Amino acid sequence: MNSLIDNTITFVKKELTNSEGGHDWFHIERVYKNTLLIAKKEDVDTLIVSLAALLHDIADPKFYDGDETIGPNIAREFLFKQNVDSKIIEHVIAIIENISFKNSLESSIKFTSKELKVVQDADRLDAIGAIGIARCFNYGGFKNRALYNPDIEPNLKISKEEYKKSSAPTINHFYEKLLLLKDKMNTKTARLIAAERHVFMESFLKQFYCEWNGEK
């Protein structure tokens, strides 16, 4: 197992060289660490959650014109070359295909497992709190989006397609995703961590609006 994990880490680091700062190797590393932390309290297959965490953003669709097949295909090919058991490969691929927030905006659930829930929580934790805020504005800058525009309201009933095509100001993303994640955590461990990070985001937004309005 250790050699497989080491090989996967080496592969992911190479694949994500020069990636956007919020979706680079360090994002993967944080999700991997969060996954192992949560997994300690859950009855899950450690190998599956480890591989899924390491490979979940190997080709994020938002950087590939929305193509959701590239990442799973790259991951499957890599794992096949590593002689990983086919059942493990398919479970890891299913997690990669169903982990994202945008897929949760669809009414039908295509796949679920205890392992998916753990990796999904780990990924969502990295989208909130101080790092979540930093990632949010980093991506907004990458896409040349406005920080905030009081005239553009957040879309609180956003669909998957609207979410994928959105070019709204970065602050709107807090209301369309980040502030919703606390209540979408699957595990007790993640819920406890998310609660603290959620409060930090609320505090940040309060300060942001005060500064924007010249109040302090």
Side-chain angles (χ1 to χ4, degrees):
M1 175 177 171
N2 289 339
S3 61
L4 174 57
I5 296 301
D6 290 343
N7 290 347
T8 306
I9 289 172
T10 299
F11 173 73
V12 173
K13 282 184 176 180
K14 183 178 179 181
E15 287 290 308
L16 296 184
T17 301
N18 299 322
S19 294
E20 181 267 332
H23 299 81
D24 57 4
W25 159 248
F26 295 111
H27 162 62
I28 301 298
E29 185 178 42
R30 291 190 302 270
V31 173
Y32 178 52
K33 290 177 179 177
N34 283 339
T35 294
L36 295 180
L37 174 66
I38 297 169
K40 290 179 181 178
K41 300 287 183 70
E42 304 295 325
D43 180 23
V44 293
D45 186 310
T46 304
L47 178 59
I48 289 174
V49 297
S50 296
L51 292 173
L54 290 169
L55 293 164
H56 81 279
D57 258 352
I58 198 67
D60 190 307
K62 68 174 66 70
F63 302 109
Y64 293 86
D65 296 321
D67 191 332
E68 298 179 38
T69 66
I70 297 175
N73 287 341
I74 292 174
R76 180 181 280 108
E77 181 179 358
F78 168 77
L79 293 173
F80 179 78
K81 289 180 178 179
Q82 296 295 312
N83 296 313
V84 176
D85 181 89
S86 61
K87 289 184 179 180
I88 293 176
I89 293 177
E90 292 313 311
H91 194 158
V92 170
I93 298 306
I95 291 173
I96 294 171
E97 291 174 336
N98 291 276
I99 191 175
S100 73
F101 173 79
K102 67 180 180 299
N103 287 335
S104 72
L105 299 174
E106 294 181 319
S107 56
S108 61
I109 297 176
K110 300 176 182 177
F111 169 84
T112 187
S113 72
K114 292 182 293 183
E115 285 77 14
L116 168 62
K117 291 178 180 179
V118 167
V119 184
Q120 192 172 60
D121 279 0
D123 188 36
R124 288 175 174 177
L125 283 175
D126 204 53
I128 60 178
I131 287 176
I133 292 171
R135 291 181 67 212
C136 186
F137 282 99
N138 189 81
Y139 185 72
F142 177 79
K143 300 293 286 186
N144 197 32
R145 293 177 179 173
L147 294 178
Y148 174 53
N149 185 334
D151 296 328
I152 302 176
E153 294 283 336
N155 183 354
L156 301 182
K157 295 183 178 180
I158 196 167
S159 67
K160 177 179 176 179
E161 288 306 311
E162 288 172 332
Y163 181 87
K164 289 170 66 175
K165 296 176 181 177
S166 176
S167 59
T170 297
I171 283 292
N172 288 27
H173 194 59
F174 283 78
Y175 301 95
E176 294 170 354
K177 177 182 178 181
L178 307 191
L179 293 172
L180 306 178
L181 293 179
K182 174 178 69 72
D183 295 327
K184 290 182 175 292
M185 296 296 167
N186 302 298
T187 64
K188 182 179 179 181
T189 300
R191 285 193 290 271
L192 290 172
I193 298 171
E196 183 176 349
R197 296 189 184 193
H198 184 87
V199 170
F200 185 87
M201 291 193 297
E202 290 181 321
S203 176
F204 168 80
L205 288 170
K206 183 177 180 180
Q207 180 70 21
F208 182 94
Y209 293 128
C210 284
E211 294 180 13
W212 186 276
N213 295 318
E215 296 173 0
K216 66 176 182 180

